[in-house]
Amino acid sequence: MNTAKKHTLLLIDDKSANLIALKSMLEKPDREIITCNSGNEGLQILLREKISLILVDVQMPEMDGYEFVEITKQHPNTASIPTIFVTAISDEAKYVNKAYDLGAIDFLFKPLITEITRKKVDSFLKIWDYDQELKKLNEKLVAKNGELEQFANIIAHDLKTPLNNIKSLVEFIEEEHLLDLKEEATDLFDMVKSSAMSMSKLIDDLLHYSKNVENNQGKEAINILSEINAVVKLINPNGNIKITKENLNHNISFQSVAFKQIIQNLLSNAIKYNDKEITEITISYNEELQQIAIKDNGPGIPDNQEEKIFQMFYTLGKSSRGDSGTGMGLNLVRKLAERNEVKVHYNTQYKSGSEFIISELQTT
């Protein structure tokens, strides 16, 4: 029964006797071993074969091992192939450093010791296997990201369509019944249109964020007060909600859309889960500690659940107003914070409600 070849090794040496000896050390049923007598021949082989590991002699006529490796590392199709130098040259630092600078991964010094040679080759072939698996996973991830981007576009379209319909209907009613509307009704219609436009803009921003922002890219200097004012305007709290802002006129480095999303989630939770007649929320910035605190006068988080609330799909049940969350908000808050290299945690020492801390902020 034929055994499938898992790896292909390329051995390069101008002396055939050396190739025969090295090949005999490394032969295994799942390996194909290709030998050649020059660097030029080796380059030709690399054009048509998928090689897992190269072992190349340093001292060869016409093109030595150093020149061969220098060429392979300049081509994207061969740059990542692990290469071991096989040499009789002294192991002085200047020779070793030159090889590593060119991109070689290790040395084998002649006369070769069979056991050491086999173990080194086995180890680097395992590294090759891991590298190939990572490439496959990365390809799958790229494909999945493409699917998610397409899904985000569909969701954005489906969300914006009813918002545009609402805006059009309100405008139609205003035009047809303008004379019949009282001043209070006109103000309400303006609020509906403004909220619809704000939501449409938020959807556009989130779609842009999901498509174009990765890790900590896109950070900029933002003003805490301006960003929070924009969020408060979007939430549009009524007379039963009192929001106090303290010392917020400072600039920090943050992704603007991510910051707004974090603040909106934390404020929405503070309002939704509050059990008092008047909801009181305080947003403050501490210059010395470089942190933002958002605290409220609600019921707080039950003991031993301070970390669970950041888990995906974990909820505390129905809010004081009867609705329930999806369990995604605080998980998103933490992920957005991590993307911006900051931390978000619940302050267990605060006993007059809930307090969330955004810490390790970078000022500008």
Side-chain angles (χ1 to χ4, degrees):
M1 184 177 71
N2 292 329
T3 303
K5 302 296 182 183
K6 185 178 181 181
H7 296 111
T8 301
L9 281 63
L10 175 59
L11 314 183
I12 309 173
D13 197 306
D14 61 311
K15 294 181 175 58
S16 297
N18 291 341
L19 289 174
I20 294 171
L22 184 55
K23 183 179 179 181
S24 66
M25 292 182 193
L26 301 178
E27 281 183 326
K28 281 188 175 183
D30 64 345
R31 289 179 187 169
E32 179 181 358
I33 298 179
I34 302 174
T35 63
C36 64
N37 295 107
S38 70
N40 283 320
E41 189 180 350
L43 293 175
Q44 294 299 315
I45 292 169
L46 287 173
L47 291 175
R48 61 177 187 268
E49 301 285 348
K50 184 178 180 180
I51 304 298
S52 304
L53 180 66
I54 302 170
L55 288 89
V56 59
D57 184 38
V58 172
Q59 293 175 293
M60 294 186 295
E62 297 180 13
M63 180 189 295
D64 65 22
Y66 293 133
E67 293 171 307
F68 170 82
V69 171
E70 190 171 9
I71 293 171
T72 63
K73 296 305 176 185
Q74 291 174 357
H75 197 286
N77 291 341
T78 57
S80 62
I81 301 175
T83 305
I84 299 176
F85 276 129
V86 183
T87 179
I89 298 178
S90 166
D91 58 353
E92 290 181 21
K94 63 179 180 180
Y95 296 111
V96 175
N97 289 338
K98 181 179 180 181
Y100 287 142
D101 288 342
L102 290 172
I105 57 172
D106 210 340
F107 274 90
L108 285 169
F109 294 99
K110 299 177 181 177
L112 297 177
I113 301 172
T114 301
E115 193 62 26
I116 292 176
T117 302
R118 287 174 176 168
K119 285 184 177 180
K120 282 196 175 185
V121 168
D122 289 346
S123 296
F124 288 119
L125 287 177
K126 286 181 181 178
I127 293 173
W128 170 260
D129 288 338
Y130 293 144
D131 183 62
Q132 298 308 299
E133 286 298 318
L134 284 173
K135 286 180 178 177
K136 289 178 183 178
L137 289 172
N138 186 58
E139 289 172 1
K140 291 180 181 179
L141 183 60
V142 169
K144 286 293 183 185
N145 282 341
E147 293 175 7
L148 287 172
E149 184 176 323
Q150 184 180 14
F151 178 73
N153 279 292
I154 294 170
I155 291 297
H157 175 268
D158 289 348
L159 287 173
K160 289 184 71 174
T161 298
L163 285 172
N164 290 333
N165 290 341
I166 291 170
K167 185 173 178 289
S168 298
L169 285 170
V170 169
E171 290 174 349
F172 173 77
I173 294 171
E174 283 183 313
E175 290 173 3
E176 292 296 315
H177 304 279
L178 185 61
L179 296 177
D180 301 330
L181 294 175
K182 296 180 180 179
E183 185 177 347
E184 291 180 3
T186 303
D187 291 341
L188 289 173
F189 276 115
D190 286 339
M191 288 174 61
V192 172
K193 287 192 295 183
S194 177
S195 295
M197 290 176 63
S198 296
M199 283 299 298
S200 181
K201 177 63 167 59
L202 178 62
I203 292 168
D204 287 337
D205 287 347
L206 288 173
L207 184 61
H208 172 81
Y209 179 77
S210 66
K211 289 169 62 176
N212 298 302
V213 179
E214 296 180 359
N215 299 326
N216 63 343
Q217 297 175 4
K219 292 172 71 173
E220 57 183 308
I222 62 171
N223 182 267
I224 300 172
L225 181 60
S226 297
E227 299 289 310
I228 288 177
N229 281 340
V231 174
V232 171
K233 184 178 180 181
L234 179 63
I235 294 175
N236 193 24
N238 57 38
N240 292 330
I241 300 168
K242 179 183 177 183
I243 298 179
T244 303
K245 306 162 196 169
E246 298 177 353
N247 194 35
L248 298 182
N249 192 19
H250 296 273
N251 293 334
I252 57 173
S253 179
F254 220 101
Q255 297 165 339
S256 176
V257 175
F259 185 79
K260 287 190 182 79
Q261 188 67 30
I262 290 171
I263 298 299
Q264 182 175 331
N265 270 283
L266 294 177
L267 289 182
S268 296
N269 282 349
I271 294 169
K272 178 166 53 176
Y273 290 97
N274 199 285
D275 57 350
K276 305 298 189 299
E277 185 176 342
I278 301 293
T279 297
E280 296 181 0
I281 301 172
T282 301
I283 312 169
S284 61
Y285 176 69
N286 187 310
E287 295 175 72
E288 184 179 353
L289 299 178
Q290 292 187 320
Q291 65 184 31
I292 295 171
I294 299 178
K295 55 187 176 183
D296 61 59
N297 64 336
I301 305 296
D303 291 342
N304 303 319
Q305 297 194 47
E306 299 88 355
E307 275 303 308
K308 290 181 180 179
I309 57 174
F310 290 101
Q311 296 174 8
M312 182 71 83
F313 305 126
Y314 185 84
T315 68
L316 293 173
K318 290 189 178 296
S319 72
S320 302
R321 290 169 169 78
D323 53 356
S324 57
T326 62
M328 295 178 64
L330 288 178
N331 182 267
L332 177 62
V333 163
R334 178 157 284 181
K335 289 187 181 299
L336 292 175
E338 289 172 352
R339 280 191 176 188
N340 284 269
E341 301 171 302
V342 303
K343 293 182 178 180
V344 175
H345 72 274
Y346 179 80
N347 182 11
T348 57
Q349 304 302 313
Y350 187 72
K351 301 301 182 183
S352 300
S354 296
E355 182 178 34
F356 287 87
I357 306 292
I358 307 169
S359 59
E360 300 185 13
L361 294 165
Q362 299 175 3
T363 56
T364 61

